[in-house]
Amino acid sequence: MDRGGGRYVTLAQVAQAAEVSLATASRVLNGGERVVRPELRERVLAAARRLRYVPNAQAQALALGATATVGLVMHDVGDPYFAAIARGAIDVATEHGAVVMLGSTFRSPEREIEYVSTLRAQRARAILLVGSGFAGAEYLRPMRAELANYRRAGGRYAFVSHHDLPGDAVLPDNRGGAAAIGRALAELGHRRIAVAAGPLAMTTVRNRVDGFVDALAAAGVARADVRVVETDFSEDGGYTAAHRLVSEGLDATALFCTTDVMAVGALLALRERGVSVPGELSLIGFDDIPIVRHLTPSLSTVALDLDRIGREAMTLVLDPSTPKRARRVTIPAHLVLRDSTARVPAHPLRTRHTH
Amino acid sequence: MDRGGGRYVTLAQVAQAAEVSLATASRVLNGGERVVRPELRERVLAAARRLRYVPNAQAQALALGATATVGLVMHDVGDPYFAAIARGAIDVATEHGAVVMLGSTFRSPEREIEYVSTLRAQRARAILLVGSGFAGAEYLRPMRAELANYRRAGGRYAFVSHHDLPGDAVLPDNRGGAAAIGRALAELGHRRIAVAAGPLAMTTVRNRVDGFVDALAAAGVARADVRVVETDFSEDGGYTAAHRLVSEGLDATALFCTTDVMAVGALLALRERGVSVPGELSLIGFDDIPIVRHLTPSLSTVALDLDRIGREAMTLVLDPSTPKRARRVTIPAHLVLRDSTARVPAHPLRTRHTH
DNA sequence: CTGTTAGCGCATTCAA
DNA sequence: TTGAATGCGCTAACAG
C-alpha cells in the first residue's frame, strides 16, 4: 500500500473554505436532517462543489462503525450460472445503496476462506457465499470458525446452495429437479442411464445425483444400471466424461449432466464421436443457463431462476431482522424438455465399440 | 448504515491481552519488519490468534492513506463478454493482493458515473472502466470531471474499449477485426449486406461498423448496398433486428452483428422465419464468446482474447509507474470462419416477402 | 442552530 | 527494542 501522489479534499478543507465549523459542514453534506440555516447550508454546498469534495467512505465507516460493503464470493464469475446470480445480487445491493466486493475462488476452498477473511477485515456488512460448499474437515472447520467470528462481530452471511454449515440459505430445489429428470427419463423408457457428475465432494452435486438416482429407483431402475462418472465441474469435465463413456462402449440410452455447462461439453464430445442426440442418446442438463436453448438439439434441462436466486439471497442478507432460526428459501426447479431428450429407441443398440 | 450488534476485536485488545503496548502489537501484526523481540512477538501472535483478531482494513487505510481496493465497472456482469473480462481482471487483482469492487451499470451512463463517484469515495486505488463509452456531452462532461478529480487525488484508471476520454486503455482491434469480416464477406461474393448494430452512440459499435463498411468499400461494395439497422446491444436486439430485416424483404446475402450476443438472437429469429443459415444468409458475429462455437451452425466471428483483455487492463492499472503519455494496449482480433458463413449462392434470391 | 471536543482503529513519529 | 503521543477524515455527543 503506497500512498498515492495526490490528495483528496477533506471535510475540514470544505468547512474552512465555507467559513463554518467542521461539524456544520458534516451536517449539511452527510447528515440527513436539515438543521442548518439555509445561508450556511448554501455556503457549504458551494464550497464542496467548487472543491469537488467526495466524502471518505473509509473514515465514515470508521466513525459510524458500519460499512455499506457487501461481499459476494463465488466459484467463477466467468461461468454463466454464477454470472447470472451475480447480476441479480448486484442489482439488489445497488438498490440498497450497498457496494459489492466480488471474489472469484476458481473452486479453491482455500481461496474461499481467504475471501471471507478479507471481507471480515473490510468489515463488510454482509457476505454471500454462492456455489456449492465443499465437504471435508480441512474446509469445514476453518470456514465454520471464520463465519462464527464474523457473525459474532455482527456480520451477516448467507449461502446459495447447501454448505453443511449453519446459516441462512437460498436453496435451489436440486433434489426435486433431479428427481423430475429421473422420472421423465424413466417414463421415456430409459433403463440404462449414465450420469456425468461434478466432484461428489460438492453438496450440490450430491443432491442432484441422489435425487436422480432415488427417483429412478422409485421408477424401477436399479442403482446398478446407473453409471455415475465423476469428473470436473466444467465444460471440459462434461466433454471428458462423454468421451470416456463412449470409449467404454456406451451402454446407456440417456446421459444426465449435473450442470448445463457440463452438458455443453458432453454434446460436443458426442458430436465428435458421431453419437446422435437424442437419436442414440438422450441428453439432459441442469440450471437452464441462457445459451442452452440455442443449441442444436436444444437442451432439455431443469430451469432455475438464476437472477431471482441472486436477488433473494442478497435480500435475505440485507434484511436487518434477525430471526432465531436459520432461514431457508427454496427456489423451485422445473423441468424443461426440449429436443435433446426422446423416447428410448424401440431396438436400442446394446453396446458400441468405437476404436 | 446501522451499527451491527456485535463488536470486532481491536488491536488494543490484543495488545492488552498480550501485555504489550499498542505500538508493539501493531508492529508484529501489521508491520513487515522484525524489530520486535521474539518473546513479545510470540505473545502478541498468540493473543491475536486466541482472540481471532482481524485487522480493520478501513482503519489501516485511513492511517496509511492508501487502499487495496480496485474498482471494476462494467455494463453487465451477466453478459458472457463482460463476465470473461471480469474473470481475468479479478484474477490479476487477487494476485496483487487487491480487493475488487464490482459495479454493473446495465448500460446506464448515469450509473456509470455514480459508480466512479462511489469508488472515489471508497478511495479505490484504481478503477477499470470496461465496455464501450458513450457519446454525448451529458455523459462525457461529468465523466471527464470525475476522472480528472480522481486522477488529481492520486487515483489511477484505465479503459477497456474506446471512451473518447483521456487515459490508458486496452483496445480490442475493433476496426481491424471488422475490416477482416468485410473483406471475407466480399471475397465470398457477398454484395448486398446487412448490419445489426448496437447503439451507434457507443464507440465500439461505431468502430466496428466503420471498419466493416470501409473494408467493404475498398472491396468494391458501395455504402448504399450496406443496410445498417441500429438496435439494442443485446440478444433481444439481434433478434428484433433480424425479424425486421426479414419482414422488410431480406435484400441481403449476409448479416454482420456487431456482437456475438446479438448474433445469437439473430440466429434464433432467422430460424423462426425459416431463413437458412448459411444457405440463404451468411451470419457473422464479433467477440467469440465461449458458446458460439456450439451453435448450429457454429458461428463465424472475430475472436478476442477476453480473459487477456481483463488481465492486461488490470495489470496496466496496477502498474505503479506513471508514464507521461496515455498508454494503449491493442488486443489483436482474428477472424474465425466457422459454419455460419458461406459463399454467396450462385443464383441469389432477390427479395423475400414473408407475410 | 452552531461550534468544540472526543473518539472510531490503526500506523507512526518521537523519546525513553 | 519498546512505549506514549499524534493524526488519518469523519460523526456524534455535548455545550453554547
Side-chain angles (χ1 to χ4, degrees):
Chain A
M1 303 218 269
D2 61 326
R3 33 177 28 97
R7 286 259 126 269
Y8 279 91
V9 0
T10 71
L11 226 202
Q13 296 174 31
V14 173
Q16 184 169 12
E19 299 183 309
V20 297
S21 74
L22 215 186
T24 300
S26 171
R27 281 189 274 255
V28 1
L29 289 176
N30 306 313
E33 318 311 310
R34 51 178 65 74
V35 284
V36 177
R37 178 158 38 110
E39 182 196 325
L40 290 192
R41 178 179 199 72
E42 267 319 308
R43 288 225 306 267
V44 173
L45 255 22
R49 207 157 27 223
R50 184 153 38 80
L51 270 43
R52 306 185 189 297
Y53 167 74
V54 178
N56 184 327
Q58 320 254 7
Q60 287 187 148
L62 194 54
L64 287 168
T67 329
T69 326
V70 301
L72 193 52
V73 182
M74 37 183 54
H75 290 180
D76 183 0
V77 245
D79 182 319
Y81 172 81
F82 292 101
I85 293 178
R87 186 193 161 117
I90 291 178
D91 208 17
V92 169
T94 306
E95 286 169 9
H96 285 247
V99 196
V100 174
M101 283 195 165
L102 181 60
S104 205
T105 66
F106 300 101
R107 299 199 161 72
S108 148
E110 295 79 30
R111 283 179 86 156
E112 187 168 318
I113 294 172
E114 271 172 36
Y115 267 122
V116 173
S117 182
T118 301
L119 289 167
R120 206 144 72 87
Q122 294 290 340
R123 299 305 187 257
R125 170 209 286 276
I127 299 179
L128 222 51
L129 270 342
V130 183
S132 176
F134 302 88
E138 330 76 61
Y139 164 78
L140 288 174
R141 211 174 44 78
M143 186 53 124
R144 194 191 315 274
E146 282 293 338
L147 292 176
N149 296 324
Y150 180 61
R151 162 172 292 177
R152 192 171 306 134
R156 303 178 51 82
Y157 64 84
F159 306 105
V160 168
S161 292
H162 198 65
H163 274 72
D164 283 339
L165 288 165
D168 295 349
V170 173
L171 300 174
D173 185 10
N174 289 318
R175 280 196 72 93
I181 295 179
R183 283 192 300 272
L185 290 181
E187 268 170 32
L188 288 171
H190 296 276
R191 289 295 174 272
R192 289 166 298 107
I193 298 178
V195 178
L200 293 168
M202 293 185 168
T203 47
T204 298
V205 176
R206 282 210 312 275
N207 288 338
R208 291 183 182 180
V209 172
D210 290 350
F212 182 69
V213 170
D214 290 355
L216 243 26
V221 179
R223 177 68 185 77
D225 289 330
V226 182
R227 171 85 205 289
V228 178
V229 178
E230 184 173 357
T231 176
D232 218 34
F233 210 155
S234 66
E235 192 178 313
D236 276 355
Y239 179 88
T240 310
H243 261 299
R244 193 188 318 165
L245 286 167
V246 175
S247 293
E248 290 174 358
L250 184 60
D251 185 29
T253 60
L255 171 60
F256 165 41
C257 295
T258 52
T259 69
D260 282 350
V261 170
M262 296 176 67
V264 168
L267 187 58
L268 180 60
L270 294 171
R271 187 173 299 149
E272 288 180 4
R273 288 308 195 90
V275 177
S276 128
V277 176
E280 297 175 70
L281 185 75
S282 282
L283 181 65
I284 188 162
F286 205 116
D287 289 339
D288 199 27
I289 58 178
I291 57 159
V292 297
R293 73 185 60 206
H294 297 299
L295 298 175
T296 309
S298 59
L299 187 70
S300 293
T301 187
V302 164
L304 249 28
D305 188 339
L306 268 14
D307 189 82
R308 176 176 160 204
I309 290 178
R311 303 188 67 90
E312 293 267 12
M314 187 56 82
T315 303
L316 204 59
V317 94
L318 251 25
D319 169 3
S321 79
T322 310
K324 307 189 174 55
R325 280 173 31 85
R327 293 172 292 182
R328 328 241 111 190
V329 177
T330 301
I331 302 290
H334 64 272
L335 189 64
V336 180
L337 290 181
R338 297 204 179 95
D339 301 336
S340 67
T341 43
R343 177 157 295 281
V344 71
H347 301 294
L349 66 181
R350 296 302 328 170
T351 338
R352 292 171 50 108
H353 291 289
T354 53
H355 285 200
Chain B
M1 305 215 268
D2 61 325
R3 31 175 34 95
R7 285 259 128 267
Y8 279 91
V9 0
T10 72
L11 227 203
Q13 296 175 32
V14 174
Q16 185 168 11
E19 298 183 310
V20 298
S21 75
L22 213 181
T24 299
S26 172
R27 281 191 271 259
V28 2
L29 288 176
N30 305 313
E33 316 312 311
R34 50 178 64 75
V35 286
V36 176
R37 180 156 39 110
E39 180 197 325
L40 291 192
R41 179 179 201 72
E42 268 319 308
R43 287 224 306 267
V44 173
L45 255 22
R49 208 159 24 226
R50 183 153 39 81
L51 269 44
R52 306 187 190 294
Y53 167 75
V54 178
N56 184 327
Q58 319 255 5
Q60 286 189 147
L62 193 55
L64 288 169
T67 331
T69 322
V70 301
L72 193 53
V73 183
M74 38 184 51
H75 290 181
D76 183 0
V77 246
D79 181 319
Y81 172 81
F82 292 101
I85 293 178
R87 186 192 159 119
I90 290 177
D91 208 16
V92 170
T94 306
E95 286 168 11
H96 285 248
V99 196
V100 174
M101 283 194 165
L102 181 61
S104 204
T105 66
F106 300 101
R107 299 201 162 70
S108 147
E110 296 77 31
R111 281 179 89 154
E112 187 169 316
I113 293 171
E114 271 172 36
Y115 267 122
V116 172
S117 183
T118 301
L119 288 167
R120 206 144 72 87
Q122 294 290 340
R123 300 302 187 257
R125 169 209 288 276
I127 299 178
L128 222 52
L129 271 340
V130 183
S132 176
F134 303 88
E138 330 77 60
Y139 165 76
L140 287 174
R141 211 173 46 77
M143 187 51 124
R144 194 190 316 274
E146 282 293 338
L147 292 176
N149 296 324
Y150 180 61
R151 161 172 292 177
R152 192 171 305 134
R156 302 177 53 81
Y157 64 85
F159 305 104
V160 168
S161 291
H162 198 65
H163 275 73
D164 284 340
L165 287 165
D168 295 348
V170 173
L171 300 173
D173 184 11
N174 289 319
R175 281 196 72 93
I181 295 178
R183 282 192 301 273
L185 291 182
E187 268 170 32
L188 288 171
H190 296 276
R191 289 296 175 271
R192 288 165 299 105
I193 298 176
V195 178
L200 293 168
M202 293 185 168
T203 47
T204 298
V205 176
R206 282 210 311 275
N207 288 336
R208 292 184 181 180
V209 172
D210 291 350
F212 181 69
V213 169
D214 291 354
L216 244 26
V221 178
R223 177 69 185 75
D225 289 331
V226 182
R227 170 85 206 287
V228 178
V229 178
E230 184 174 357
T231 176
D232 218 33
F233 212 155
S234 65
E235 191 177 314
D236 277 353
Y239 179 88
T240 310
H243 262 300
R244 194 187 318 164
L245 286 167
V246 175
S247 292
E248 290 174 357
L250 184 60
D251 186 28
T253 60
L255 171 60
F256 165 42
C257 295
T258 53
T259 68
D260 282 351
V261 171
M262 295 176 68
V264 168
L267 187 58
L268 180 61
L270 294 171
R271 186 174 299 149
E272 287 180 4
R273 288 307 195 89
V275 177
S276 128
V277 176
E280 297 174 72
L281 185 75
S282 282
L283 181 66
I284 188 163
F286 205 116
D287 290 338
D288 198 27
I289 57 177
I291 57 159
V292 298
R293 73 185 60 205
H294 298 298
L295 298 175
T296 309
S298 59
L299 187 69
S300 294
T301 188
V302 164
L304 249 28
D305 188 339
L306 268 14
D307 188 82
R308 176 175 160 205
I309 290 178
R311 303 187 67 88
E312 294 267 13
M314 188 55 84
T315 303
L316 204 58
V317 94
L318 251 25
D319 169 4
S321 79
T322 311
K324 306 187 177 52
R325 279 172 33 84
R327 292 172 293 182
R328 328 241 112 188
V329 177
T330 301
I331 302 290
H334 65 271
L335 190 64
V336 180
L337 291 181
R338 297 202 179 96
D339 301 337
S340 69
T341 43
R343 175 158 296 282
V344 70
H347 301 294
L349 68 179
R350 296 310 316 181
T351 338
R352 293 172 50 110
H353 290 290
T354 55
H355 284 202

